[in-house]
Amino acid sequence: MSEQLLEFPSHPVFVIRRFLVAACAVLAMFILCTSSTALKVSAEGYHELRGDVPKASFLQSQIAALQETRPRLVGELKQLHTDLGVAMEAAERLSIAEQELTLEIERLQAFTQSMAVNLLLGTLPYSEWDIDTLINTETSMDVKLNQHLLSGVNQIQKLELQLDDNQMDVVMNISYIHGEIERVNSELAVVDLQEAEALELLVLAEAWDRAELAITYGRHGFAPQEKWDALRFCESTNNYAAISSSGKYRGAYQFDLVTWQSVGGSGDPASASPSEQEARARELYALRGASPWPICGRHLQ
């Protein structure tokens, strides 16, 4: 079997650029893991109360797109592993000394990639991936980290000079494929995270969609926020995890399981998020008025 190996430039800028491919994917996960959706529980209008919770239809389209993306990435990963096998066969034909040199280059590349990730996450705004900044130690926000990055690049270049062009092609091809595998794995992890978050948020979005329909078409509409505050304090002293002494009534609005399920809830009301409890309480009131709260319901009248 013949192998068609790619040629790769070895200038520091291009070396760093290879490391940034995986670094950017890691950064995308970091940004995703630190994002959240806020609920403005003190607002009076329905739309303000819903806050940033999107429509269920929007989330469903996002989930469908992610589910289409995953097979493409899995196929790409499978092909990369096939390509890596071919590249490793070429590497096995190198001498022992050349193979040891290849392993040392790969070790230094992993180290330098780690430095690039730390530099991006720790010192640079994620919207400004300026390679000139990375290689300019005078303007970098973290000179010491930047020097470590350049030191790794320089060591890699010195080792690469000990290989001829054909040997260098083998090394760079393996390095490139490893980088692509890491990139695709990172993208798959991001897809998995985004789908899990979208599925979790979908429950909340569907609850607010139901509440909106009930408020629009139900007999009782939407009560002012101060009345809900009084009701919630009366029922549970504002404790969304409250459970009655009998265990039957649960959450900030003391739902029993039958009533909770009647407005689309599943599981334990006391374990649901505050936003979901708010949405389902609004739906219940819009449909049935204050009657589900026979004592504290006076605060809604």
Side-chain angles (χ1 to χ4, degrees):
M1 181 183 296
S2 62
E3 300 89 13
Q4 183 176 359
L5 301 179
L6 302 177
E7 295 184 1
F8 301 88
S10 59
H11 186 277
V13 168
F14 294 101
V15 176
I16 295 174
R17 190 184 298 276
R18 294 201 305 272
F19 301 141
L20 291 182
V21 171
C24 292
V26 173
L27 181 60
M29 291 188 67
F30 172 80
I31 295 167
L32 281 168
C33 290
T34 55
S35 63
S36 61
T37 300
L39 172 68
K40 303 174 183 178
V41 295
S42 62
E44 286 198 11
Y46 160 77
H47 295 289
E48 290 78 11
L49 183 66
R50 181 172 181 148
D52 297 329
V53 178
K55 292 283 189 179
S57 57
F58 172 78
L59 289 171
Q60 288 163 348
S61 65
Q62 275 196 329
I63 292 167
L66 291 168
Q67 291 173 343
E68 290 177 1
T69 299
R70 184 179 288 103
R72 176 183 62 77
L73 291 173
V74 170
E76 188 176 348
L77 188 61
K78 182 178 180 180
Q79 182 59 53
L80 284 168
H81 280 292
T82 299
D83 295 343
L84 181 60
V86 174
M88 295 302 293
E89 288 179 3
E92 290 173 358
R93 292 193 285 271
L94 299 175
S95 68
I96 298 298
E98 291 166 348
Q99 290 182 32
E100 290 177 351
L101 190 58
T102 298
L103 290 174
E104 179 63 12
I105 291 173
E106 290 183 358
R107 185 191 69 79
L108 285 169
Q109 286 172 336
F111 165 81
T112 308
Q113 178 176 300
S114 176
M115 290 298 101
V117 170
N118 289 331
L119 188 59
L120 280 174
L121 293 180
T123 64
L124 292 177
Y126 61 79
S127 61
E128 298 178 5
W129 294 330
D130 184 353
I131 293 178
D132 289 335
T133 300
L134 290 176
I135 65 174
N136 186 341
T137 58
E138 293 181 357
T139 60
S140 173
M141 296 173 65
D142 191 332
V143 174
K144 185 176 181 180
L145 188 59
N146 204 311
Q147 288 172 340
H148 281 297
L149 176 62
L150 287 177
S151 174
V153 172
N154 290 333
Q155 290 181 62
I156 291 170
Q157 289 182 306
K158 288 178 182 178
L159 292 176
E160 289 174 348
L161 292 174
Q162 301 178 40
L163 300 173
D164 62 30
D165 288 344
N166 290 333
Q167 295 162 349
M168 193 60 216
D169 284 344
V170 171
V171 172
M172 295 306 297
N173 193 41
I174 292 173
S175 174
Y176 172 77
I177 295 172
H178 276 307
E180 287 297 285
I181 288 174
E182 184 167 351
R183 174 188 63 78
V184 175
N185 278 327
S186 296
E187 289 184 15
L188 276 169
V190 170
V191 167
D192 290 342
L193 178 63
Q194 288 179 330
E195 184 178 11
E197 290 182 342
L199 287 170
E200 182 178 355
L201 188 57
L202 182 60
V203 174
L204 189 56
E206 289 174 340
W208 281 109
D209 286 354
R210 289 177 59 113
E212 181 176 12
L213 286 173
I215 290 167
T216 302
Y217 299 106
R219 289 182 56 194
H220 302 278
F222 189 82
Q225 182 61 36
E226 63 268 13
K227 293 187 176 183
W228 285 103
D229 293 340
L231 171 68
R232 188 171 58 250
F233 184 83
C234 177
E235 289 285 344
S236 65
T237 62
N238 294 319
N239 181 5
Y240 287 90
I243 299 175
S244 69
S245 57
S246 67
K248 181 178 180 180
Y249 302 104
R250 311 175 75 83
Y253 295 102
Q254 293 291 276
F255 282 93
D256 61 42
L257 292 180
V258 173
T259 305
W260 177 251
Q261 292 166 1
S262 75
V263 289
S266 62
D268 184 357
S271 298
S273 69
S275 182
E276 183 181 354
Q277 292 186 45
E278 294 292 337
R280 302 206 188 280
R282 295 318 190 276
E283 177 183 350
L284 184 61
Y285 171 77
L287 297 175
R288 296 174 53 187
S291 61
W293 299 278
I295 297 174
C296 296
R298 66 183 185 276
H299 294 290
L300 290 175
Q301 296 173 350

